[in-house]
Amino acid sequence: TLSVTGLTLADIGDSEADAERIVWLLAFANGARLVPTITRVEIRNNAGQLTRATLRNTVGAAANTSAWPIIPLRIPKEVKDYLEWCYPRLVVNDDLYLLSRVMHWLIQATREGQPLHLRALVGAEVLEILRFNFAKNVFKAPQSGDQFEWPPGYPNAGKRMSFRQILKGLVWAVGSSQWKEDFVNFRNSIVHEGEIFGSSFLDQISNTNAAIHFCQTIVLALLEWDKRHGLYLPYNVRPSKAEPFKR
């Protein structure tokens, strides 16, 4: 239950948006599939009397399937510290990178029982979301449909920016060390041919997990989780134990 006091009616919409961001952060950390994020909204007056109630979803979070937890949150203080650190950073990056939507798809990718092929497709989709929104909202490259061109002043000005070039720019911008050139082959293979990149089934599992892990670390980098000296559970290591997050 999330409770907010001291609001006027005009503040309620903004408060619900704040609450959704908080729940997305909790869902991402815990690997819980909470969609829609808010089940019920109650508005009470200063005397505590119920004045309005809205049921937004009839299916509770308990009915959904768990996914891979990213950040170990074991006690209330850890939850509090995590939210206080990450919330303002989510607000800054949410519109730039569609970060809440990225979190949603990463939860879907790691959902328990999700077939490998669907995990790979969702992983490739997250790479595309990151590519598109970095080029559009951060790099501000000239856009032609869903493709982008190098801006004036660059040696390749006017030429199309490749998938690899855009993601390499994102990696440079957030200071990530998790990039692998195979991510390009992974994306191209699953998107264009419907096949998971890899010469064996074990390779396909490893490549899928590595791509998803890369996307998760981009989210953690945008939340500056390393500056908080926070722990995380790497998705590309099985079994996994909590370790300090490093970009």
Side-chain angles (χ1 to χ4, degrees), residues 76-132:
K77 183 180 185 305
E78 291 177 340
V79 176
K80 176 177 178 291
D81 291 345
Y82 166 71
L83 291 176
E84 289 181 346
W85 177 266
C86 292
Y87 179 81
R89 291 158 177 83
L90 174 59
V91 171
V92 169
N93 290 296
D94 208 7
D95 290 337
L96 292 176
Y97 291 93
L98 300 185
L99 210 51
S100 294
R101 199 168 300 171
V102 167
M103 290 178 178
H104 162 67
W105 286 115
L106 288 174
I107 292 169
Q108 295 292 335
T110 61
R111 185 162 56 90
E112 185 179 345
Q114 188 75 282
L116 179 62
H117 201 91
L118 291 181
R119 280 199 284 136
L121 281 169
V122 174
E125 173 64 16
V126 175
L127 288 172
E128 284 290 341
I129 294 172
L130 292 173
R131 172 199 73 89
F132 184 88

Side-chain angles (χ1 to χ4, degrees), residues 154-173:
Y154 284 84
N156 296 324
K159 295 183 178 179
R160 187 178 73 86
M161 298 178 68
S162 69
F163 174 84
R164 174 186 177 277
Q165 289 169 331
I166 295 174
L167 278 187
K168 288 278 283 186
L170 167 64
V171 165
W172 180 84

Side-chain angles (χ1 to χ4, degrees), residues 37-236:
T37 57
I38 298 176
T39 302
R40 177 180 172 87
V41 176
E42 293 184 356
I43 300 174
R44 298 178 181 271
N45 59 23
N46 290 337
Q49 299 168 324
L50 183 67
T51 61
R52 192 169 82 193
T54 304
L55 184 66
R56 295 179 52 165
N57 183 32
T58 57
V59 179
N64 291 312
T65 306
S66 63
W68 182 265
I70 304 297
I71 298 172
L73 299 177
R74 298 155 295 187
I75 58 177
K77 183 180 185 305
E78 291 177 340
V79 176
K80 176 177 178 291
D81 291 345
Y82 166 71
L83 291 176
E84 289 181 346
W85 177 266
C86 292
Y87 179 81
R89 291 158 177 83
L90 174 59
V91 171
V92 169
N93 290 296
D94 208 7
D95 290 337
L96 292 176
Y97 291 93
L98 300 185
L99 210 51
S100 294
R101 199 168 300 171
V102 167
M103 290 178 178
H104 162 67
W105 286 115
L106 288 174
I107 292 169
Q108 295 292 335
T110 61
R111 185 162 56 90
E112 185 179 345
Q114 188 75 282
L116 179 62
H117 201 91
L118 291 181
R119 280 199 284 136
L121 281 169
V122 174
E125 173 64 16
V126 175
L127 288 172
E128 284 290 341
I129 294 172
L130 292 173
R131 172 199 73 89
F132 184 88
N133 287 282
F134 173 76
K136 178 183 177 181
N137 300 322
V138 182
F139 195 63
K140 298 187 182 301
Q143 185 177 350
S144 177
D146 64 347
Q147 300 298 324
F148 296 89
E149 299 174 351
W150 285 98
Y154 284 84
N156 296 324
K159 295 183 178 179
R160 187 178 73 86
M161 298 178 68
S162 69
F163 174 84
R164 174 186 177 277
Q165 289 169 331
I166 295 174
L167 278 187
K168 288 278 283 186
L170 167 64
V171 165
W172 180 84
V174 303
S176 172
S177 64
Q178 305 293 333
W179 170 259
K180 294 181 179 180
E181 292 295 330
D182 278 348
F183 293 152
V184 177
N185 296 326
F186 170 81
R187 174 260 190 183
N188 290 343
S189 182
I190 192 67
V191 170
H192 299 309
E193 301 174 26
E195 294 289 340
I196 303 174
F197 178 68
S199 57
S200 69
F201 183 63
L202 289 179
D203 286 342
Q204 291 177 346
I205 294 174
S206 178
N207 292 334
T208 300
N209 292 349
I212 293 172
H213 173 257
F214 168 73
C215 295
Q216 291 172 336
T217 61
I218 291 296
V219 174
L220 292 174
L222 292 172
L223 296 176
E224 298 184 318
W225 192 233
D226 53 327
K227 293 183 179 180
R228 184 65 179 80
H229 306 293
L231 301 177
Y232 87 119
L233 294 161
Y235 187 70
N236 61 340

